[in-house]
Amino acid sequence: MSMTLAVVADVHLDVPFAWAGPEVGRRWRAHVRDALTNVVEVCLDRQVDALLVAGDLYEHDRFTADTVRFVEATFAKLDPVPVLVAPGNHDWLAPAGLYRQARFGPNVHVFDTAHLSPHPLADGCTLWGGAHLRPRGSEGFLDGFRVDRGGVHLALFHGSEVSGFALQGTDKHEHAPFRAEQVPAAGLHFAFVGHYHHPTASQHHAYPGSPQPLSFGTPAGGLLIAEVDDDGSVAIERIDVAAAELHDLRIDVSGCETSTSLRDLVARSLAGLEGAARVDLVGELGADLEWHDDLLRDVAPCLDALKLRTDGLTTAIDVDALAALDTVEGEFVRLVQSRTDLDEDLRRRVVLTGLRALAGRDDLEVP
């Protein structure tokens, strides 16, 4: 009865990509579609026995008729390989949702109950799946559940394993919560679960994570290839199917005295990267470096998007030496330094901005 299953979750077709502008957002929504296409290609290449989708395939509030047709065509490529879908909180089984509108072929089965219901995968192997019937407030699928027959039992649902919730970031909310120990206690050999974009796995359950990275700071997910043995043991292989990468980098720019040297350093650091990048710039810049918000906008033309964070930048300035001068500049520095109601960083920024203004410079913005 050994089987090879492919498992994907949290694709989020039509996701808005809040970190991107309209043009980049459209491009990255196309990358999400490409990642799902890559999933199908791997399934065909590996000759899997079924593709399992553990929820949040699409965004209910944003999907279009074009998305409906795309999902239909994508799953049709696998026919006769079964595609089994357990709707989540973003793609909940709404009356006018994609799953109701789509004209799926006979190989696609969408679970449609708020409790786990059985679906035979093979002789002696049952898949238990459930659906979110509303966008929030779904109860845990394993609460009060127990298998009622023999054989190998697997589960497919969208929910929050409570011990791993803190790892998922502040933007996640609990949906259909469960505890890891509930899986074997229910008589299940393994559970394939969606909701966490951060891929995780334990002895009895696994989250694939998003196949296409959706936000910075989240480890890449992918497609799970699960080898299920006759005794119910499951061996997991994770495959990268992303169509584009999100990069998180830290660049120390200490010692850059001019805008040209800063641009050159950042350009070298980003050379060869594709996709999108979030860069933390840290270090001390020269006092005469002319900074403006557009200074680094075009240093990485191969990237779809470049997001800069400059909280870690400071500007070199000898405040004590300036304060000792018997000049207008020295008097200004002494006045600012006497303002104990300002924190140290703000005093530094005020000093630097004022000195630039006194020097007749136009670049008054301080990183």
Side-chain angles (χ1 to χ4, degrees):
M1 181 231 74
S2 59
M3 302 184 69
T4 302
L5 304 176
V7 188
V8 71
D10 298 289
V11 180
H12 287 279
L13 295 166
D14 294 329
V15 64
F17 284 112
W19 55 266
E23 180 180 350
V24 173
R26 284 191 293 271
R27 193 175 308 159
W28 274 74
R29 282 187 286 276
H31 290 329
V32 173
R33 289 193 177 195
D34 291 341
L36 185 59
T37 299
N38 292 342
V39 165
V40 170
E41 293 301 321
V42 172
C43 288
L44 293 172
D45 182 63
R46 298 289 289 266
Q47 297 182 330
V48 301
D49 294 297
L51 169 63
L52 312 185
V53 182
D56 283 3
L57 175 64
Y58 71 94
E59 298 272 332
H60 173 73
D61 293 337
R62 295 179 54 88
F63 83 94
T64 66
D66 186 79
T67 307
V68 178
R69 302 286 89 83
F70 168 74
V71 173
E72 287 176 352
T74 301
F75 288 168
K77 293 176 183 177
L78 285 171
D79 194 18
V81 176
V83 178
L84 302 147
V85 182
N89 58 292
H90 279 277
D91 62 343
W92 62 287
L93 197 60
L98 181 150
Y99 298 128
R100 304 293 192 190
Q101 295 184 27
R103 299 185 293 270
F104 288 128
N107 67 313
V108 178
H109 175 78
V110 179
F111 289 98
D112 59 3
T113 61
H115 59 271
L116 295 182
S117 58
H119 184 89
L121 278 180
D123 289 341
C125 182
T126 302
L127 179 70
W128 297 83
H132 287 247
L133 304 184
R134 51 191 176 183
R136 60 189 62 85
S138 295
E139 297 180 355
F141 290 100
L142 298 182
D143 293 346
F145 172 79
R146 176 77 189 180
V147 300
D148 59 0
R149 64 202 70 185
V152 172
H153 297 278
L154 309 173
L156 179 70
F157 61 88
H158 198 83
S160 307
E161 200 286 306
V162 294
S163 71
F165 184 73
L167 299 174
Q168 302 302 317
T170 57
D171 61 337
K172 295 300 286 183
H173 302 280
E174 281 193 346
H175 292 275
F178 72 100
R179 301 183 310 279
E181 59 268 24
Q182 286 183 279
V183 177
L188 295 165
H189 291 86
F190 204 86
F192 302 107
V193 194
H195 187 50
Y196 290 167
H197 298 179
H198 187 304
T200 59
S202 73
Q203 184 178 359
H204 295 290
H205 77 276
Y207 286 90
S210 296
Q212 173 61 49
L214 303 176
S215 59
F216 293 105
T218 302
L223 176 68
L224 298 185
I225 299 295
E227 299 290 347
V228 183
D229 211 340
D230 294 346
D231 61 359
S233 60
V234 177
I236 297 291
E237 174 189 359
R238 192 179 303 276
I239 297 178
D240 181 12
V241 291
E245 291 186 70
L246 288 178
H247 307 275
D248 269 291
L249 298 94
R250 182 179 184 272
I251 302 177
D252 189 338
V253 297
S254 297
C256 290
E257 298 290 335
T258 69
S259 57
T260 300
S261 62
L262 175 62
R263 283 175 54 85
D264 288 346
L265 174 59
V266 175
R268 289 196 304 272
S269 301
L270 299 177
L273 297 184
E274 296 181 348
R278 183 176 67 179
V279 177
D280 284 298
L281 296 177
V282 299
E284 190 173 78
L285 299 173
D288 295 322
L289 187 148
E290 295 186 3
W291 173 274
H292 54 84
D293 282 345
D294 293 334
L295 178 61
L296 301 174
R297 175 172 293 181
D298 59 349
V299 295
C302 291
L303 289 174
D304 291 335
L306 175 61
K307 314 296 288 186
L308 297 175
R309 297 197 293 191
T310 59
D311 293 346
L313 286 180
T314 59
T315 301
I317 181 171
D318 190 339
V319 174
D320 293 336
L322 288 170
L325 297 176
D326 188 19
T327 62
V328 172
E329 289 82 1
E331 178 64 24
F332 171 71
V333 172
R334 289 191 293 274
L335 177 62
V336 175
Q337 291 300 93
S338 70
R339 291 287 302 275
T340 57
D341 57 317
L342 305 179
D343 64 42
E344 182 178 352
D345 181 65
L346 183 55
R347 286 199 300 269
R348 179 192 66 81
R349 293 166 65 87
V350 171
V351 165
L352 190 57
T353 300
L355 291 175
R356 289 183 177 185
L358 288 171
R361 290 172 56 169
D362 295 326
D363 58 319
L364 301 183
E365 186 176 353
V366 180

